[in-house]
Amino acid sequence: MLDILIVGAGGAGLTAALEAHRAGAKVAILSKSYPTRSQTAMAQGGINAVLTPSDSIEHHIADTLQSAHDLASIEAITQLCQGAPKAINWLGSLGMPFSRDTQEGVAQRRLGGASAPRACYAQDYTGLKLIHTLYDQVIEAGIPLYHEHFLLNCIVEENHILGITALDIRTSTVKAIAAKSVILATGGYSKLYGDFSTNAQGATGDGIAAALRAGARISDIEFVQFHPTALASSSILISESARGAGGLLIDGEGKRFVDELAPRDVVARAIYEAIERTGRAYLDIRHLGEAYIEEHLPQERKLAQLYEGVDCVHALIPIKPAAHYTMGGIEVDAQGMSAVRGLFAVGECANAHIHGANRLGGNSLLELVVFGRDTARHALTFAQKSTPPNANDTQFQKDSAFIHACFHRFTNQIDFYEKQTFLSKIAYRNAGLFRNEMHLKGVLGVVRQIQKELPFMGVKDKLSTYNTNLVEFLEFGNIIELAEVLLVGAINRIESRGAHYRSDYPQSHPHFAHPTISWKEQGVLCNAFE
Amino acid sequence: MPSNETLTLTVQRFHPQRQPNTLSMSYTVPKTKTLLQALTHIKRTQDPTLTFNAGCNASVCGSCAVRVNGREVLACAYTPQEGDLIEPLRYATVLKDLVVDASHTTTLNARAHNASHGHKEEMQSIDAAHAITRQSDCILCSACYSACPVLAVNSDFLGPFALTRSWRYIADSREADTSSIMQSIQTNGIWDCTLCGECTTVCPQHIDPKNDIMMLQGKAGILGYTNPKFGGGMSFDGGFGTPDFGVPSF
Ligand SMILES: Cc1cc2nc3c(=O)[nH]c(=O)nc-3n(C[C@H](O)[C@H](O)[C@H](O)COP(=O)(O)OP(=O)(O)OC[C@H]3O[C@@H](n4cnc5c(N)ncnc54)[C@H](O)[C@@H]3O)c2cc1C
Ligand code: SF4
Ligand code: SF4
Ligand code: FES
């Protein structure tokens, strides 16, 4: 039997797999796509670490804490920041092709909210090069991989993990995979906001929803970071470096309206308001000149040309804020373990209380590497010591029946793609950058209605081979499950803090300087501040 | 019906569970910026059975490569034109419609042992880093592999992306020992490439696998490997042309 099954093959999953393998664990990796197709490949800006005497770990800790708005754990942040230099060395030792400075060291740049140039990068391809470097090592180590397997549920007896069930996407068959411990590394849920998100298509919170169903606690789901500058018609990210280099923000009447270098959440809300007020918002980098843009922002120029049909050397780039990073996730302890024994979580799907109410750019890639390795070791220790209860095939039977029902019993009278598009629109407008009780309750009503309607949806593609219609329906189910948690959290948190902004309660309140914890009892969602 | 606002695309479809299992189907869609947007539109509003892969929408995840009118493109970076014919990539098993079995990206890199095998040093100059920057931009989209004519006659050929990745590690100034990589690319590897440059033409990341393969041949010659096809010894400047980049220091 496997010591550790890792679900998810982004930066977090692959790091954990390599460390588990090194420590002698019997480990396998399962993902719904291929590892190098994970969202981690999209990260551009960099990965934070203090590497030079001109910066200090205390400053890294302080910056992270400040951005978290009293919603993070100082112990966890300290562990993260102290582990950072070692993490960069470790990546270097695996061959990570970092950009270099004149001293032949790893080049670093300054990202928003950082008091020093602290983000190690590899051109605009930090995440891409990270995931390929890790994956090359995973291949060379011969770690077994299940490609194109979709996590359905955790198999749990007496609150103890026994493995998972997964859908083999190529055949639509359900499999049960046993393991002494499971690490979820399935990423975030920004795709709840559909086309109003910068994320990859699979960012649908599958692992978080599965953990919730398995009896784990999840937390801070209402905290979603919106990136200020996504392209207006496609939500493709235009990196912060455009503003860092002197790019200006202009409203529909041609006027500036905000300090371009203010914190992300402040700039994002200002852009949203400018669009409400004047119909449009733009990023203006024309004054930087063609030579500069070609040298430093070629990617931005290419994307604006392709998706907006504008050449930013001569024209304004139409932008809007878009959901970018989800701070909430599976509540884990200092070992990375959830409330279910032996079920661990790491990366964007976990809430290790690093980012609190607002993530600092460059800290999430760091979290993947530092906590990915730590979590693997704790999971192995657990696997070696635990005595699991006896397994049975109840979950497998249930999930097989469910997949069968998706094909043959669900009535298909309601088109889930339409519902998904509708949900993403109202979530963006009412449970996005600006929230208030009435609007949040309205969206919650819609979500609960959609939950009831799921049996009237289902798949139109009735054949079992590589059925992405089915996969997207399952993803939608997870989104709907998490949307309820997000809304209940946002309604109950009657204050504003970091990325969560309530126009009816614009101030922070010390009473709420605690995580929102959510769990299910007999299928009913429960919620508390702890 | 084509108009100023719409265009018609034809998709080569495949389904192992249907008879006949291949079929060309045409769809009329609103004009979109990218082919991926058009395919998504079809799936969501016209035909939920149409199957393709996508992830990032931003040309970095390598999921969405297809062939349009016989040429490899990323669906998320290609603007569709009236009458386009969309087909799956070649030299990989088609699973359904535009989706192919992409596990060869893993198995070929495994065969070439394309990974770091330990460092002699951690520091690297800006110039030395530049020597592997382009090669490490690869997104494993497999466009080059589908375009490579050698695969039509020799399915065991390692192909362009794996060889580019071999060069990425061999040319890395930090690497202590790349002999296992060099050893594994001798058979069905660097000497089987005809240097036709098709891979270079289609690569969305502007990588030049052809040149990387020439560099590998040069390096192999220096290390005493010979081109088996020529029987005798073959040195670097023996007739394959000179690579267009400077030879980095080894
Ligand atoms: C455009 C963009 C730019 C960014 N830039 C930066 C940056 O510069 N610096 C930084 O620190 N952070 C950045 N981030 C954030 C960072 O990239 C992510 O937080 C991080 O990569 C998440 O990694 P992960 O390993 O947790 O998950 P992911 O990389 O999202 O991987 C999730 C994995 O889980 C698998 N999976 C999901 N669901 C299932 C299922 N049901 N069954 C099986 N497998 C499943 C997926 O296939 C995938 O392999 C950026 C994010 C975006 C979108
Ligand atoms: S140059 Fe070589 S690898 Fe590239 S397409 Fe031609 S034969 Fe294939
Ligand atoms: S070399 Fe280019 S075409 Fe080939 S897989 Fe890599 S990115 Fe794609
Ligand atoms: S969708 Fe990622 S490369 Fe096209």
Side-chain angles (χ1 to χ4, degrees):
Chain A
M1 196 199 297
L2 290 171
D3 293 318
I4 309 177
L5 175 66
I6 294 172
V7 184
L14 297 189
T15 302
L18 286 172
E19 180 62 17
H21 177 79
R22 189 204 56 78
K26 200 166 165 224
V27 58
I29 308 170
L30 176 140
S31 81
K32 64 178 170 182
S33 179
Y34 293 87
T36 54
R37 296 179 179 182
S38 303
Q39 168 160 294
T40 295
M42 299 178 77
Q44 306 171 347
I47 167 168
N48 289 340
V50 173
L51 299 180
T52 58
S54 57
D55 191 5
S56 82
I57 291 181
E58 286 67 40
H59 287 147
H60 189 183
I61 294 172
D63 292 346
T64 307
L65 266 176
Q66 186 181 350
S67 182
H69 290 87
D70 296 325
L71 210 62
S73 138
I74 184 151
E75 291 79 22
I77 290 178
T78 305
Q79 193 190 339
L80 178 81
C81 299
Q82 284 180 343
K86 218 171 114 191
I88 300 299
N89 278 341
W90 180 72
L91 289 172
S93 75
L94 302 182
M96 170 74 184
F98 283 116
S99 293
R100 296 282 157 171
D101 62 21
T102 48
Q103 311 298 305
E104 308 204 342
V106 173
Q108 291 182 287
R109 61 186 166 205
R110 192 185 200 126
L111 299 180
S115 54
R118 189 178 291 145
C120 309
Y121 62 93
Q123 302 84 43
D124 272 349
Y125 284 134
T126 312
L128 174 75
K129 298 198 180 193
L130 176 77
I131 193 107
H132 282 259
T133 302
L134 294 172
Y135 191 46
D136 288 346
Q137 291 295 320
V138 164
I139 297 174
E140 187 64 18
I143 298 172
L145 295 148
Y146 293 88
H147 300 304
E148 307 189 308
H149 278 66
F150 186 97
L151 164 75
L152 294 170
N153 279 300
C154 301
I155 304 174
V156 177
E157 281 298 324
E158 299 163 26
N159 199 40
H160 189 119
I161 195 82
L162 296 171
I164 63 141
T165 57
L167 178 85
D168 181 342
I169 295 174
R170 293 189 181 184
T171 57
S172 296
T173 47
V174 177
K175 296 177 181 171
I177 302 168
K180 293 181 192 158
S181 71
V182 169
I183 301 179
L184 296 177
T186 44
Y189 50 93
S190 288
K191 272 291 175 185
L192 194 152
Y193 296 90
D195 289 345
F196 303 89
S197 164
T198 61
N199 278 208
Q201 310 219 337
T204 48
D206 305 337
I208 305 173
L212 179 67
R213 292 192 291 270
R217 290 148 44 109
I218 67 178
S219 54
D220 294 339
I221 300 298
E222 68 271 29
F223 287 95
V224 178
Q225 179 176 83
F226 284 77
H227 197 286
T229 56
L231 291 178
S233 64
S234 61
S235 295
I236 301 277
L237 179 79
I238 293 293
S239 113
E240 223 162 50
S241 49
R243 271 174 298 135
L248 301 175
L249 294 169
I250 310 277
D251 66 16
E253 290 158 0
K255 297 202 192 78
R256 282 182 67 195
F257 53 88
V258 67
D259 170 9
E260 283 80 3
L261 299 174
R264 253 185 205 179
D265 56 321
V266 175
V267 180
R269 282 195 294 271
I271 294 176
Y272 188 84
E273 281 182 315
I275 296 173
E276 294 282 282
R277 208 175 50 240
T278 66
R280 311 225 71 174
Y282 301 98
L283 178 63
D284 184 0
I285 57 171
R286 292 172 299 178
H287 55 288
L288 300 179
E290 180 158 14
Y292 184 91
I293 292 172
E294 258 314 297
E295 170 72 18
H296 296 281
L297 303 164
Q299 187 84 343
E300 278 60 35
R301 187 179 188 185
K302 198 175 92 185
L303 291 171
Q305 242 153 0
L306 176 66
Y307 283 99
E308 301 291 330
V310 301
D311 182 354
C312 58
V313 170
H314 308 292
L316 300 171
I317 311 171
I319 50 153
K320 67 168 184 237
H324 184 58
Y325 183 89
T326 47
M327 273 74 77
I330 302 162
E331 175 75 6
V332 292
D333 64 15
Q335 270 80 55
M337 190 155 84
S338 73
V340 174
R341 287 172 44 71
L343 179 63
F344 294 78
V346 68
E348 195 170 335
C349 75
N351 185 0
H353 302 290
I354 298 298
H355 311 296
N358 215 343
R359 174 193 72 118
L360 214 56
N363 268 356
S364 34
L365 289 183
L366 179 61
E367 177 184 10
L368 311 183
V369 179
V370 175
F371 290 165
R373 298 182 73 198
D374 288 352
T375 304
R377 286 191 292 269
H378 294 307
L380 179 58
T381 308
F382 178 90
Q384 287 163 341
K385 289 198 177 141
S386 74
T387 37
N390 287 334
N392 60 56
D393 70 349
T394 315
Q395 189 69 50
F396 171 77
Q397 294 298 349
K398 239 167 95 177
D399 291 340
S400 303
F402 178 76
I403 295 300
H404 185 263
C406 286
F407 277 117
H408 305 294
R409 303 257 304 282
F410 285 33
T411 63
N412 248 318
Q413 290 143 312
I414 300 175
D415 181 6
F416 78 87
Y417 289 122
E418 269 173 30
K419 291 286 170 187
Q420 194 172 29
T421 307
F422 177 60
L423 172 71
S424 66
K425 276 187 195 148
I426 58 168
Y428 181 68
R429 297 199 64 80
N430 303 290
L433 291 126
F434 289 92
R435 303 165 169 186
N436 65 51
E437 182 173 348
M438 194 179 81
H439 289 162
L440 289 168
K441 285 190 168 161
V443 183
L444 181 61
V446 170
V447 165
R448 292 206 164 131
Q449 181 61 27
I450 294 178
Q451 287 177 342
K452 291 192 201 120
E453 290 170 356
L454 281 172
F456 305 106
M457 301 180 195
V459 296
K460 294 214 169 91
D461 185 346
K462 297 291 185 191
L463 296 179
S464 56
T465 302
Y466 213 98
N467 193 324
T468 50
N469 190 212
L470 173 63
V471 171
E472 286 167 1
F473 182 57
L474 297 171
E475 290 176 335
F476 180 59
N478 288 326
I479 279 294
I480 282 294
E481 186 145 19
L482 291 184
E484 183 188 12
V485 186
L486 184 149
L487 289 158
V488 171
I491 290 167
N492 288 347
R493 186 173 280 281
I494 45 175
E495 64 149 1
S496 293
R497 187 180 295 277
H500 170 72
Y501 188 84
R502 287 278 302 255
S503 23
D504 45 355
Y505 298 93
Q507 304 300 327
S508 296
H509 195 292
H511 175 73
F512 291 105
H514 304 283
T516 311
I517 307 282
S518 309
W519 69 97
K520 284 207 166 167
E521 277 174 29
Q522 256 93 56
V524 177
L525 182 63
C526 310
N527 193 279
F529 297 101
E530 284 182 11
Chain B
M1 181 148 321
S3 75
N4 283 340
E5 278 77 46
T6 62
L7 40 86
T8 302
L9 305 174
T10 303
V11 181
Q12 180 65 39
R13 302 199 54 180
F14 169 81
H15 200 303
Q17 289 167 296
R18 287 189 198 276
Q19 272 314 321
N21 59 14
T22 53
L23 179 71
S24 291
M25 277 181 76
S26 293
Y27 301 94
T28 301
V29 292
K31 277 194 176 152
T32 52
K33 297 284 187 340
T34 69
L35 174 59
L36 181 55
Q37 289 169 339
L39 295 172
T40 306
H41 178 87
I42 297 169
K43 185 167 185 77
R44 288 174 162 246
T45 64
Q46 297 180 17
D47 185 351
T49 68
L50 181 70
T51 304
F52 52 92
N53 270 331
C56 67
N57 296 327
S59 308
V60 286
C61 79
S63 311
C64 69
V66 293
R67 289 193 311 143
V68 175
N69 306 328
R71 194 193 147 110
E72 287 72 14
V73 298
L74 293 181
C76 68
Y78 172 81
T79 306
Q81 311 292 328
E82 174 60 32
D84 277 347
L85 170 66
I86 325 294
E87 296 169 285
L89 294 181
R90 295 186 294 188
Y91 315 128
T93 309
V94 181
L95 298 177
K96 183 170 162 192
D97 296 346
L98 301 174
V99 174
V100 298
D101 180 348
S103 50
H104 63 295
T105 53
T106 298
T107 49
L108 294 171
N109 279 323
R111 221 174 89 197
H113 295 286
N114 284 335
S116 172
H117 298 268
H119 279 180
K120 55 179 190 277
E121 56 183 342
E122 292 311 321
M123 306 305 268
Q124 190 168 45
S125 71
I126 292 174
D127 285 347
H130 271 158
I132 57 164
T133 297
R134 206 38 105 167
Q135 291 77 2
S136 54
D137 286 347
C138 173
I139 61 173
L140 284 182
C141 67
S142 213
C144 54
Y145 191 83
S146 170
C148 174
V150 172
L151 269 314
V153 290
N154 177 8
S155 57
D156 291 328
F157 179 44
L158 271 166
F161 65 74
L163 291 172
T164 272
R165 196 165 293 232
S166 298
W167 181 241
R168 172 252 170 278
Y169 282 106
I170 288 174
D172 189 332
S173 62
R174 299 166 297 173
E175 285 300 305
D177 178 13
T178 52
S179 54
S180 60
I181 303 178
M182 188 50 99
Q183 179 66 47
S184 13
I185 59 176
Q186 298 301 316
T187 311
N188 290 313
I190 51 175
W191 308 110
D192 295 77
C193 165
T194 63
L195 303 179
C196 70
E198 287 296 322
C199 48
T200 305
T201 316
V202 298
C203 176
Q205 291 290 78
H206 308 292
I207 296 166
D208 190 351
K210 171 196 162 193
N211 191 64
D212 294 338
I213 293 166
M214 288 202 293
M215 299 298 277
L216 285 166
Q217 290 176 343
K219 174 76 174 169
I222 293 167
L223 293 173
Y225 287 99
T226 52
N227 182 349
K229 300 213 157 70
F230 285 80
M234 233 288 301
S235 78
F236 179 33
D237 23 31
F240 271 137
T242 311
D244 12 311
F245 294 156
V247 183
S249 51
F250 295 114

